[in-house]
Amino acid sequence: MTTAEPVTRTSPYQHYVYAYPHKTAYRPLPDRPHLAGLWAGEPKDALSLYAHIPFCEVRCGFCNLFTRIGAPDGLTGAYLDALERQASAVREALGEGPRFATAAFGGGTPTFLTAAELERLCDIAEHRMGADLRAVPLSVEASPATATADRLAVLADRGATRLSLGVQSFVDAEARAAVRPQRRADVEAALGRVREAGLPVLNIDLIYGIDGQSEQTWLHSLDAALAWRPEELYLYPLYVRPLTGLGRRHPAPDPLTGGDPVWDEQRLTLYRAGRDHLLAHGYTQHSMRMFRRADAPPQGADDYACQTDGMIGLGCGARSYTSGLHYSFDYAVDMHQIRGIIDDYVAGDAAAFARAQVGHRMTPGEARRRHLLQSLLQADGLRLDEYRDRFGGAPADDFGPELERFADRGWLTDADPGVLRLTPEGLAHSDAVGPELFSPDVRTAMAAYERK
């Protein structure tokens, strides 16, 4: 009697891919190249500016972002001092004439800063970096607890065009299950303040796959969000990552070895229900996660376009992108490690900020891979003529085996011969499509990464 070979299963939830290469592929740069040399030959007429504020009032159980809980007296001010020193060093390295086309403040929770500190953050972006915040799209992340009237007034006055509120669930029990202590009444009050502030675009983040969540409660949260007629909604699948609060309580199976089929099916079911519900209520789908109200004002480039070459990141936790190098500061999830990295950043001087410390060098092959990955994960897909103009060939020439696998699974459509586009089911499996396009070198670096 022969034994059948085990069936290899591909989990639809492997990695949330919003940038490539993944941050765990970054390594210390032995030569610590000077920023002036890195940016010397780069286009600087349409840069993106990102400032990272690594502070939160609480840390959600699912969060593996670079942030710490609270801040001792004086730390936020010292952090902004360091941010200003870094901005001055970066602006000097860029030379004359850089222009910014978009700006964003993320974290962490940028609105953890006081209203006066937010004013200072805007001053740094404008006066040190030269970004005209009132003339370009400016997106800011916030939490319900920190979306206070005085902070929102500062953001509205300084030109913020989009406020993204991390709600995750309108069901109090689900919020607690995700280790996000909040009450729906407080969330509703915060949404009221955002609307009163008059910011043009409100985005609400919601999460599906929370323990105890059902299709009924998921649709209840969606309807509660829709009552505010947000211009955008982001629907995120729950991930349980190592070193996070949920990861310490209930470690999740490795998605690369099959994951949890029951949980995967639950998340897929909730995703499809949420997608169909939003499409029926006048929203258009721009990616697996992102939905925009059909009559919402234009916001310029979508999120993925901000991850292209020409990104300037300020603050620890922020990344910068040139055509030849993606670079940042050290990264961690463990709270003790994060505190140490922030302390080192706060102590940094202009000479340290004038050099890249941690990063990943980009080859022409990685650049093609990145362009394909980031375009394919958008609902509009990849225009073949655009790829040919940029790289001199067709995606199938460079990534034939991967694209054949996607087609065999029903994840690619040939409805438009000029566009490489995912089917609705392919879009649902974006978190499997993206990782399958990672290069062997990036996979090896990610596997060797020592979590901290």
Side-chain angles (χ1 to χ4, degrees), residues 48-53 80 83-88 90-91 94 98-100 102-105 117-134 136-140 158 312 314:
S48 296
L49 177 65
Y50 173 73
H52 190 86
I53 305 300
L80 290 174
L83 197 76
E84 187 161 9
R85 292 195 300 274
Q86 184 191 3
S88 296
V90 171
R91 180 61 189 269
L94 290 174
R99 294 182 61 253
F100 291 92
T102 64
F105 301 154
E117 289 171 333
L118 284 172
E119 289 273 18
R120 186 179 176 196
L121 177 61
C122 293
D123 284 344
I124 292 170
E126 291 192 341
H127 304 321
R128 295 297 182 185
M129 292 304 302
D132 187 349
L133 298 183
R134 293 178 178 85
V136 302
L138 169 61
S139 178
V140 183
R158 299 303 292 262
I312 299 290
L314 299 178

mmCIF file of all heavy atoms in Angstrom, residues 48-53 80 83-88 90-91 94 98-100 102-105 117-134 136-140 158 312 314:
data_model
loop_
_atom_site.group_PDB
_atom_site.id
_atom_site.type_symbol
_atom_site.label_atom_id
_atom_site.label_comp_id
_atom_site.label_asym_id
_atom_site.label_seq_id
_atom_site.Cartn_x
_atom_site.Cartn_y
_atom_site.Cartn_z
ATOM 1 N N SER A 48 7.697 62.237 -2.499
ATOM 2 C CA SER A 48 6.711 62.000 -1.449
ATOM 3 C C SER A 48 7.400 62.147 -0.097
ATOM 4 O O SER A 48 8.524 61.655 0.076
ATOM 5 C CB SER A 48 6.119 60.593 -1.569
ATOM 6 O OG SER A 48 5.410 60.444 -2.779
ATOM 7 N N LEU A 49 6.735 62.813 0.835
ATOM 8 C CA LEU A 49 7.293 63.025 2.168
ATOM 9 C C LEU A 49 6.471 62.243 3.183
ATOM 10 O O LEU A 49 5.233 62.330 3.199
ATOM 11 C CB LEU A 49 7.271 64.517 2.519
ATOM 12 C CG LEU A 49 7.774 64.885 3.924
ATOM 13 C CD1 LEU A 49 9.255 64.559 4.082
ATOM 14 C CD2 LEU A 49 7.524 66.362 4.209
ATOM 15 N N TYR A 50 7.160 61.496 4.034
ATOM 16 C CA TYR A 50 6.483 60.743 5.090
ATOM 17 C C TYR A 50 7.193 60.990 6.412
ATOM 18 O O TYR A 50 8.431 60.915 6.486
ATOM 19 C CB TYR A 50 6.484 59.245 4.778
ATOM 20 C CG TYR A 50 5.949 58.399 5.924
ATOM 21 C CD1 TYR A 50 4.589 58.379 6.209
ATOM 22 C CD2 TYR A 50 6.808 57.665 6.737
ATOM 23 C CE1 TYR A 50 4.094 57.640 7.265
ATOM 24 C CE2 TYR A 50 6.324 56.912 7.800
ATOM 25 C CZ TYR A 50 4.968 56.897 8.063
ATOM 26 O OH TYR A 50 4.474 56.166 9.114
ATOM 27 N N ALA A 51 6.440 61.304 7.447
ATOM 28 C CA ALA A 51 6.989 61.479 8.792
ATOM 29 C C ALA A 51 6.358 60.455 9.717
ATOM 30 O O ALA A 51 5.125 60.329 9.772
ATOM 31 C CB ALA A 51 6.740 62.894 9.303
ATOM 32 N N HIS A 52 7.198 59.727 10.458
ATOM 33 C CA HIS A 52 6.727 58.657 11.333
ATOM 34 C C HIS A 52 6.780 59.114 12.784
ATOM 35 O O HIS A 52 7.842 59.531 13.281
ATOM 36 C CB HIS A 52 7.607 57.414 11.151
ATOM 37 C CG HIS A 52 7.060 56.197 11.828
ATOM 38 N ND1 HIS A 52 6.146 55.363 11.225
ATOM 39 C CD2 HIS A 52 7.297 55.665 13.048
ATOM 40 C CE1 HIS A 52 5.843 54.367 12.045
ATOM 41 N NE2 HIS A 52 6.522 54.537 13.167
ATOM 42 N N ILE A 53 5.644 59.004 13.470
ATOM 43 C CA ILE A 53 5.551 59.364 14.882
ATOM 44 C C ILE A 53 5.306 58.071 15.664
ATOM 45 O O ILE A 53 4.199 57.531 15.656
ATOM 46 C CB ILE A 53 4.408 60.373 15.132
ATOM 47 C CG1 ILE A 53 4.573 61.602 14.241
ATOM 48 C CG2 ILE A 53 4.370 60.762 16.602
ATOM 49 C CD1 ILE A 53 5.865 62.366 14.446
ATOM 50 N N LEU A 80 10.858 65.336 18.315
ATOM 51 C CA LEU A 80 10.694 66.360 17.286
ATOM 52 C C LEU A 80 11.971 67.148 17.066
ATOM 53 O O LEU A 80 12.275 67.568 15.945
ATOM 54 C CB LEU A 80 9.535 67.291 17.654
ATOM 55 C CG LEU A 80 8.138 66.670 17.570
ATOM 56 C CD1 LEU A 80 7.088 67.644 18.100
ATOM 57 C CD2 LEU A 80 7.795 66.244 16.142
ATOM 58 N N LEU A 83 13.836 64.944 14.818
ATOM 59 C CA LEU A 83 13.208 64.978 13.499
ATOM 60 C C LEU A 83 13.615 66.233 12.741
ATOM 61 O O LEU A 83 13.860 66.193 11.525
ATOM 62 C CB LEU A 83 11.691 64.915 13.663
ATOM 63 C CG LEU A 83 10.881 64.532 12.424
ATOM 64 C CD1 LEU A 83 10.982 63.031 12.171
ATOM 65 C CD2 LEU A 83 9.416 64.920 12.593
ATOM 66 N N GLU A 84 13.718 67.331 13.458
ATOM 67 C CA GLU A 84 14.135 68.577 12.815
ATOM 68 C C GLU A 84 15.590 68.502 12.376
ATOM 69 O O GLU A 84 15.945 68.975 11.290
ATOM 70 C CB GLU A 84 13.896 69.759 13.756
ATOM 71 C CG GLU A 84 14.140 71.102 13.107
ATOM 72 C CD GLU A 84 13.486 72.246 13.848
ATOM 73 O OE1 GLU A 84 12.975 72.034 14.968
ATOM 74 O OE2 GLU A 84 13.477 73.365 13.296
ATOM 75 N N ARG A 85 16.455 67.909 13.214
ATOM 76 C CA ARG A 85 17.861 67.737 12.814
ATOM 77 C C ARG A 85 17.951 66.837 11.587
ATOM 78 O O ARG A 85 18.717 67.108 10.661
ATOM 79 C CB ARG A 85 18.673 67.141 13.961
ATOM 80 C CG ARG A 85 18.854 68.055 15.152
ATOM 81 C CD ARG A 85 19.952 67.576 16.081
ATOM 82 N NE ARG A 85 19.704 66.246 16.631
ATOM 83 C CZ ARG A 85 18.984 66.023 17.744
ATOM 84 N NH1 ARG A 85 18.426 67.037 18.396
ATOM 85 N NH2 ARG A 85 18.817 64.797 18.201
ATOM 86 N N GLN A 86 17.170 65.770 11.578
ATOM 87 C CA GLN A 86 17.194 64.877 10.422
ATOM 88 C C GLN A 86 16.685 65.602 9.175
ATOM 89 O O GLN A 86 17.276 65.475 8.094
ATOM 90 C CB GLN A 86 16.342 63.634 10.677
ATOM 91 C CG GLN A 86 16.428 62.635 9.521
ATOM 92 C CD GLN A 86 15.400 61.529 9.601
ATOM 93 O OE1 GLN A 86 14.545 61.510 10.502
ATOM 94 N NE2 GLN A 86 15.453 60.592 8.672
ATOM 95 N N ALA A 87 15.595 66.345 9.312
ATOM 96 C CA ALA A 87 15.045 67.064 8.160
ATOM 97 C C ALA A 87 16.064 68.033 7.576
ATOM 98 O O ALA A 87 16.204 68.140 6.351
ATOM 99 C CB ALA A 87 13.771 67.802 8.568
ATOM 100 N N SER A 88 16.790 68.724 8.438
ATOM 101 C CA SER A 88 17.804 69.668 7.949
ATOM 102 C C SER A 88 18.904 68.938 7.198
ATOM 103 O O SER A 88 19.361 69.390 6.130
ATOM 104 C CB SER A 88 18.391 70.449 9.125
ATOM 105 O OG SER A 88 17.404 71.248 9.756
ATOM 106 N N VAL A 90 18.702 65.985 5.708
ATOM 107 C CA VAL A 90 18.169 65.412 4.470
ATOM 108 C C VAL A 90 17.983 66.491 3.414
ATOM 109 O O VAL A 90 18.343 66.311 2.242
ATOM 110 C CB VAL A 90 16.845 64.683 4.747
ATOM 111 C CG1 VAL A 90 16.168 64.273 3.442
ATOM 112 C CG2 VAL A 90 17.083 63.450 5.613
ATOM 113 N N ARG A 91 17.445 67.624 3.814
ATOM 114 C CA ARG A 91 17.226 68.715 2.853
ATOM 115 C C ARG A 91 18.563 69.181 2.278
ATOM 116 O O ARG A 91 18.673 69.449 1.064
ATOM 117 C CB ARG A 91 16.501 69.874 3.524
ATOM 118 C CG ARG A 91 16.244 71.059 2.583
ATOM 119 C CD ARG A 91 15.370 70.645 1.397
ATOM 120 N NE ARG A 91 15.295 71.689 0.385
ATOM 121 C CZ ARG A 91 14.367 72.640 0.360
ATOM 122 N NH1 ARG A 91 13.434 72.675 1.301
ATOM 123 N NH2 ARG A 91 14.363 73.532 -0.603
ATOM 124 N N LEU A 94 19.658 66.711 -0.333
ATOM 125 C CA LEU A 94 18.877 66.743 -1.564
ATOM 126 C C LEU A 94 19.344 67.835 -2.515
ATOM 127 O O LEU A 94 19.105 67.753 -3.719
ATOM 128 C CB LEU A 94 17.394 66.955 -1.237
ATOM 129 C CG LEU A 94 16.664 65.793 -0.571
ATOM 130 C CD1 LEU A 94 15.256 66.209 -0.174
ATOM 131 C CD2 LEU A 94 16.616 64.577 -1.485
ATOM 132 N N PRO A 98 14.280 70.474 -4.619
ATOM 133 C CA PRO A 98 13.345 69.362 -4.471
ATOM 134 C C PRO A 98 11.908 69.858 -4.339
ATOM 135 O O PRO A 98 11.652 70.876 -3.707
ATOM 136 C CB PRO A 98 13.811 68.670 -3.185
ATOM 137 C CG PRO A 98 14.499 69.740 -2.408
ATOM 138 C CD PRO A 98 15.148 70.619 -3.431
ATOM 139 N N ARG A 99 10.976 69.142 -4.953
ATOM 140 C CA ARG A 99 9.559 69.483 -4.875
ATOM 141 C C ARG A 99 8.799 68.263 -4.386
ATOM 142 O O ARG A 99 9.068 67.137 -4.797
ATOM 143 C CB ARG A 99 9.023 69.928 -6.240
ATOM 144 C CG ARG A 99 9.609 71.225 -6.746
ATOM 145 C CD ARG A 99 8.986 71.620 -8.092
ATOM 146 N NE ARG A 99 7.546 71.812 -7.975
ATOM 147 C CZ ARG A 99 6.626 70.968 -8.450
ATOM 148 N NH1 ARG A 99 6.996 69.844 -9.040
ATOM 149 N NH2 ARG A 99 5.338 71.219 -8.331
ATOM 150 N N PHE A 100 7.828 68.503 -3.522
ATOM 151 C CA PHE A 100 7.039 67.417 -2.953
ATOM 152 C C PHE A 100 5.642 67.428 -3.559
ATOM 153 O O PHE A 100 4.992 68.472 -3.642
ATOM 154 C CB PHE A 100 6.983 67.540 -1.437
ATOM 155 C CG PHE A 100 8.307 67.268 -0.776
ATOM 156 C CD1 PHE A 100 9.196 68.301 -0.521
ATOM 157 C CD2 PHE A 100 8.677 65.974 -0.456
ATOM 158 C CE1 PHE A 100 10.433 68.050 0.065
ATOM 159 C CE2 PHE A 100 9.904 65.712 0.129
ATOM 160 C CZ PHE A 100 10.787 66.753 0.394
ATOM 161 N N THR A 102 3.285 64.824 -2.561
ATOM 162 C CA THR A 102 2.380 64.275 -1.549
ATOM 163 C C THR A 102 3.079 64.303 -0.202
ATOM 164 O O THR A 102 4.312 64.359 -0.120
ATOM 165 C CB THR A 102 1.977 62.813 -1.862
ATOM 166 O OG1 THR A 102 3.128 61.975 -1.810
ATOM 167 C CG2 THR A 102 1.314 62.690 -3.225
ATOM 168 N N ALA A 103 2.281 64.228 0.861
ATOM 169 C CA ALA A 103 2.827 64.169 2.213
ATOM 170 C C ALA A 103 1.910 63.319 3.078
ATOM 171 O O ALA A 103 0.697 63.233 2.830
ATOM 172 C CB ALA A 103 2.972 65.571 2.813
ATOM 173 N N ALA A 104 2.500 62.686 4.092
ATOM 174 C CA ALA A 104 1.717 61.856 5.009
ATOM 175 C C ALA A 104 2.407 61.812 6.358
ATOM 176 O O ALA A 104 3.638 61.790 6.442
ATOM 177 C CB ALA A 104 1.551 60.443 4.449
ATOM 178 N N PHE A 105 1.597 61.798 7.419
ATOM 179 C CA PHE A 105 2.086 61.580 8.784
ATOM 180 C C PHE A 105 1.469 60.268 9.269
ATOM 181 O O PHE A 105 0.243 60.102 9.268
ATOM 182 C CB PHE A 105 1.650 62.711 9.721
ATOM 183 C CG PHE A 105 2.119 64.086 9.307
ATOM 184 C CD1 PHE A 105 1.393 65.218 9.693
ATOM 185 C CD2 PHE A 105 3.265 64.270 8.550
ATOM 186 C CE1 PHE A 105 1.812 66.493 9.335
ATOM 187 C CE2 PHE A 105 3.688 65.547 8.170
ATOM 188 C CZ PHE A 105 2.960 66.655 8.568
ATOM 189 N N GLU A 117 2.430 70.430 19.304
ATOM 190 C CA GLU A 117 3.462 69.588 18.687
ATOM 191 C C GLU A 117 3.114 69.257 17.240
ATOM 192 O O GLU A 117 4.006 69.143 16.394
ATOM 193 C CB GLU A 117 3.654 68.323 19.518
ATOM 194 C CG GLU A 117 4.339 68.585 20.849
ATOM 195 C CD GLU A 117 4.335 67.376 21.773
ATOM 196 O OE1 GLU A 117 3.406 66.536 21.656
ATOM 197 O OE2 GLU A 117 5.234 67.263 22.617
ATOM 198 N N LEU A 118 1.838 69.131 16.936
ATOM 199 C CA LEU A 118 1.439 68.937 15.546
ATOM 200 C C LEU A 118 1.767 70.165 14.704
ATOM 201 O O LEU A 118 2.176 70.054 13.537
ATOM 202 C CB LEU A 118 -0.055 68.620 15.457
ATOM 203 C CG LEU A 118 -0.482 67.203 15.844
ATOM 204 C CD1 LEU A 118 -2.000 67.099 15.905
ATOM 205 C CD2 LEU A 118 0.080 66.178 14.866
ATOM 206 N N GLU A 119 1.576 71.330 15.290
ATOM 207 C CA GLU A 119 1.984 72.567 14.597
ATOM 208 C C GLU A 119 3.478 72.511 14.273
ATOM 209 O O GLU A 119 3.908 72.850 13.166
ATOM 210 C CB GLU A 119 1.682 73.790 15.470
ATOM 211 C CG GLU A 119 0.221 74.129 15.615
ATOM 212 C CD GLU A 119 -0.288 75.033 14.494
ATOM 213 O OE1 GLU A 119 0.375 75.111 13.443
ATOM 214 O OE2 GLU A 119 -1.360 75.625 14.689
ATOM 215 N N ARG A 120 4.253 72.066 15.245
ATOM 216 C CA ARG A 120 5.697 72.008 15.026
ATOM 217 C C ARG A 120 6.048 70.975 13.952
ATOM 218 O O ARG A 120 6.942 71.208 13.129
ATOM 219 C CB ARG A 120 6.416 71.670 16.334
ATOM 220 C CG ARG A 120 7.931 71.758 16.172
ATOM 221 C CD ARG A 120 8.682 71.455 17.425
ATOM 222 N NE ARG A 120 10.122 71.468 17.140
ATOM 223 C CZ ARG A 120 11.039 70.955 17.925
ATOM 224 N NH1 ARG A 120 10.693 70.380 19.077
ATOM 225 N NH2 ARG A 120 12.306 70.999 17.587
ATOM 226 N N LEU A 121 5.354 69.839 13.954
ATOM 227 C CA LEU A 121 5.597 68.827 12.932
ATOM 228 C C LEU A 121 5.327 69.399 11.546
ATOM 229 O O LEU A 121 6.116 69.182 10.601
ATOM 230 C CB LEU A 121 4.707 67.607 13.189
ATOM 231 C CG LEU A 121 4.771 66.475 12.171
ATOM 232 C CD1 LEU A 121 6.169 65.888 12.087
ATOM 233 C CD2 LEU A 121 3.747 65.396 12.509
ATOM 234 N N CYS A 122 4.244 70.141 11.404
ATOM 235 C CA CYS A 122 3.938 70.778 10.125
ATOM 236 C C CYS A 122 4.999 71.807 9.756
ATOM 237 O O CYS A 122 5.387 71.939 8.584
ATOM 238 C CB CYS A 122 2.558 71.423 10.162
ATOM 239 S SG CYS A 122 1.188 70.256 10.288
ATOM 240 N N ASP A 123 5.474 72.547 10.743
ATOM 241 C CA ASP A 123 6.537 73.531 10.485
ATOM 242 C C ASP A 123 7.797 72.847 9.968
ATOM 243 O O ASP A 123 8.474 73.358 9.059
ATOM 244 C CB ASP A 123 6.861 74.305 11.763
ATOM 245 C CG ASP A 123 5.813 75.348 12.104
ATOM 246 O OD1 ASP A 123 5.012 75.691 11.212
ATOM 247 O OD2 ASP A 123 5.786 75.794 13.267
ATOM 248 N N ILE A 124 8.140 71.701 10.555
ATOM 249 C CA ILE A 124 9.325 70.972 10.098
ATOM 250 C C ILE A 124 9.150 70.551 8.642
ATOM 251 O O ILE A 124 10.059 70.696 7.814
ATOM 252 C CB ILE A 124 9.588 69.750 11.002
ATOM 253 C CG1 ILE A 124 10.015 70.217 12.399
ATOM 254 C CG2 ILE A 124 10.653 68.833 10.394
ATOM 255 C CD1 ILE A 124 10.060 69.095 13.426
ATOM 256 N N ALA A 125 7.966 70.027 8.318
ATOM 257 C CA ALA A 125 7.713 69.592 6.944
ATOM 258 C C ALA A 125 7.790 70.761 5.974
ATOM 259 O O ALA A 125 8.333 70.630 4.864
ATOM 260 C CB ALA A 125 6.347 68.916 6.855
ATOM 261 N N GLU A 126 7.270 71.895 6.387
ATOM 262 C CA GLU A 126 7.231 73.041 5.485
ATOM 263 C C GLU A 126 8.550 73.805 5.450
ATOM 264 O O GLU A 126 9.107 74.055 4.374
ATOM 265 C CB GLU A 126 6.095 73.981 5.896
ATOM 266 C CG GLU A 126 4.712 73.393 5.640
ATOM 267 C CD GLU A 126 3.609 74.424 5.782
ATOM 268 O OE1 GLU A 126 3.854 75.483 6.416
ATOM 269 O OE2 GLU A 126 2.511 74.182 5.268
ATOM 270 N N HIS A 127 9.046 74.198 6.633
ATOM 271 C CA HIS A 127 10.188 75.110 6.677
ATOM 272 C C HIS A 127 11.522 74.388 6.528
ATOM 273 O O HIS A 127 12.467 74.957 5.962
ATOM 274 C CB HIS A 127 10.156 75.922 7.970
ATOM 275 C CG HIS A 127 8.876 76.679 8.180
ATOM 276 N ND1 HIS A 127 8.211 77.311 7.159
ATOM 277 C CD2 HIS A 127 8.126 76.888 9.301
ATOM 278 C CE1 HIS A 127 7.113 77.887 7.640
ATOM 279 N NE2 HIS A 127 7.038 77.631 8.932
ATOM 280 N N ARG A 128 11.637 73.190 7.042
ATOM 281 C CA ARG A 128 12.893 72.447 6.909
ATOM 282 C C ARG A 128 12.961 71.660 5.612
ATOM 283 O O ARG A 128 13.996 71.597 4.969
ATOM 284 C CB ARG A 128 13.079 71.494 8.097
ATOM 285 C CG ARG A 128 13.249 72.188 9.444
ATOM 286 C CD ARG A 128 14.495 73.037 9.457
ATOM 287 N NE ARG A 128 14.684 73.671 10.767
ATOM 288 C CZ ARG A 128 15.637 74.552 11.034
ATOM 289 N NH1 ARG A 128 16.475 74.934 10.075
ATOM 290 N NH2 ARG A 128 15.740 75.080 12.243
ATOM 291 N N MET A 129 11.830 71.016 5.232
ATOM 292 C CA MET A 129 11.843 70.183 4.034
ATOM 293 C C MET A 129 11.354 70.915 2.786
ATOM 294 O O MET A 129 11.623 70.502 1.667
ATOM 295 C CB MET A 129 10.978 68.937 4.254
ATOM 296 C CG MET A 129 11.543 67.962 5.266
ATOM 297 S SD MET A 129 13.236 67.401 4.880
ATOM 298 C CE MET A 129 13.012 66.685 3.265
ATOM 299 N N GLY A 130 10.612 71.987 2.962
ATOM 300 C CA GLY A 130 10.128 72.739 1.809
ATOM 301 C C GLY A 130 8.856 72.183 1.193
ATOM 302 O O GLY A 130 8.552 72.476 0.026
ATOM 303 N N ALA A 131 8.090 71.392 1.949
ATOM 304 C CA ALA A 131 6.830 70.856 1.438
ATOM 305 C C ALA A 131 5.709 71.858 1.693
ATOM 306 O O ALA A 131 5.520 72.299 2.822
ATOM 307 C CB ALA A 131 6.516 69.527 2.113
ATOM 308 N N ASP A 132 4.965 72.201 0.660
ATOM 309 C CA ASP A 132 3.837 73.122 0.798
ATOM 310 C C ASP A 132 2.605 72.288 1.144
ATOM 311 O O ASP A 132 1.900 71.783 0.259
ATOM 312 C CB ASP A 132 3.625 73.896 -0.502
ATOM 313 C CG ASP A 132 2.570 74.989 -0.364
ATOM 314 O OD1 ASP A 132 1.864 75.006 0.660
ATOM 315 O OD2 ASP A 132 2.442 75.806 -1.296
ATOM 316 N N LEU A 133 2.323 72.134 2.429
ATOM 317 C CA LEU A 133 1.280 71.223 2.869
ATOM 318 C C LEU A 133 -0.112 71.648 2.419
ATOM 319 O O LEU A 133 -1.009 70.816 2.326
ATOM 320 C CB LEU A 133 1.319 71.082 4.391
ATOM 321 C CG LEU A 133 2.605 70.504 4.976
ATOM 322 C CD1 LEU A 133 2.472 70.367 6.486
ATOM 323 C CD2 LEU A 133 2.959 69.170 4.345
ATOM 324 N N ARG A 134 -0.298 72.926 2.154
ATOM 325 C CA ARG A 134 -1.624 73.382 1.713
ATOM 326 C C ARG A 134 -1.823 73.205 0.212
ATOM 327 O O ARG A 134 -2.924 73.414 -0.293
ATOM 328 C CB ARG A 134 -1.834 74.844 2.096
ATOM 329 C CG ARG A 134 -1.923 75.064 3.609
ATOM 330 C CD ARG A 134 -2.093 76.527 3.954
ATOM 331 N NE ARG A 134 -2.237 76.746 5.387
ATOM 332 C CZ ARG A 134 -1.220 76.858 6.223
ATOM 333 N NH1 ARG A 134 0.027 76.772 5.772
ATOM 334 N NH2 ARG A 134 -1.423 77.046 7.522
ATOM 335 N N VAL A 136 -0.532 70.300 -1.502
ATOM 336 C CA VAL A 136 -0.422 68.894 -1.904
ATOM 337 C C VAL A 136 -1.318 68.049 -1.006
ATOM 338 O O VAL A 136 -1.681 68.476 0.099
ATOM 339 C CB VAL A 136 1.041 68.393 -1.795
ATOM 340 C CG1 VAL A 136 1.968 69.245 -2.652
ATOM 341 C CG2 VAL A 136 1.517 68.352 -0.340
ATOM 342 N N PRO A 137 -1.710 66.854 -1.458
ATOM 343 C CA PRO A 137 -2.476 65.975 -0.570
ATOM 344 C C PRO A 137 -1.673 65.634 0.683
ATOM 345 O O PRO A 137 -0.504 65.245 0.594
ATOM 346 C CB PRO A 137 -2.701 64.728 -1.430
ATOM 347 C CG PRO A 137 -2.562 65.193 -2.838
ATOM 348 C CD PRO A 137 -1.526 66.281 -2.794
ATOM 349 N N LEU A 138 -2.289 65.788 1.846
ATOM 350 C CA LEU A 138 -1.658 65.471 3.128
ATOM 351 C C LEU A 138 -2.574 64.521 3.886
ATOM 352 O O LEU A 138 -3.697 64.884 4.249
ATOM 353 C CB LEU A 138 -1.415 66.736 3.952
ATOM 354 C CG LEU A 138 -1.007 66.522 5.422
ATOM 355 C CD1 LEU A 138 0.304 65.740 5.529
ATOM 356 C CD2 LEU A 138 -0.886 67.856 6.151
ATOM 357 N N SER A 139 -2.090 63.303 4.137
ATOM 358 C CA SER A 139 -2.854 62.291 4.853
ATOM 359 C C SER A 139 -2.284 62.120 6.249
ATOM 360 O O SER A 139 -1.059 62.097 6.430
ATOM 361 C CB SER A 139 -2.800 60.964 4.100
ATOM 362 O OG SER A 139 -3.500 59.958 4.787
ATOM 363 N N VAL A 140 -3.167 61.998 7.240
ATOM 364 C CA VAL A 140 -2.745 61.863 8.635
ATOM 365 C C VAL A 140 -3.534 60.726 9.283
ATOM 366 O O VAL A 140 -4.755 60.638 9.113
ATOM 367 C CB VAL A 140 -2.969 63.169 9.425
ATOM 368 C CG1 VAL A 140 -2.445 63.018 10.852
ATOM 369 C CG2 VAL A 140 -2.300 64.354 8.730
ATOM 370 N N ARG A 158 -3.674 73.456 8.632
ATOM 371 C CA ARG A 158 -2.382 73.290 7.964
ATOM 372 C C ARG A 158 -2.498 72.544 6.633
ATOM 373 O O ARG A 158 -1.493 72.271 5.992
ATOM 374 C CB ARG A 158 -1.409 72.576 8.892
ATOM 375 C CG ARG A 158 -1.106 73.315 10.185
ATOM 376 C CD ARG A 158 -0.539 74.722 9.934
ATOM 377 N NE ARG A 158 0.779 74.684 9.340
ATOM 378 C CZ ARG A 158 1.923 74.818 10.019
ATOM 379 N NH1 ARG A 158 1.894 75.013 11.330
ATOM 380 N NH2 ARG A 158 3.083 74.799 9.397
ATOM 381 N N ILE A 312 10.808 60.226 0.687
ATOM 382 C CA ILE A 312 11.653 60.711 1.772
ATOM 383 C C ILE A 312 10.955 60.386 3.087
ATOM 384 O O ILE A 312 9.853 60.869 3.346
ATOM 385 C CB ILE A 312 11.888 62.234 1.689
ATOM 386 C CG1 ILE A 312 12.599 62.609 0.391
ATOM 387 C CG2 ILE A 312 12.668 62.716 2.904
ATOM 388 C CD1 ILE A 312 14.033 62.177 0.314
ATOM 389 N N LEU A 314 11.052 60.521 7.228
ATOM 390 C CA LEU A 314 11.637 61.145 8.411
ATOM 391 C C LEU A 314 11.174 60.410 9.659
ATOM 392 O O LEU A 314 10.001 60.036 9.764
ATOM 393 C CB LEU A 314 11.228 62.619 8.509
ATOM 394 C CG LEU A 314 11.631 63.548 7.370
ATOM 395 C CD1 LEU A 314 11.090 64.958 7.630
ATOM 396 C CD2 LEU A 314 13.144 63.575 7.181
#
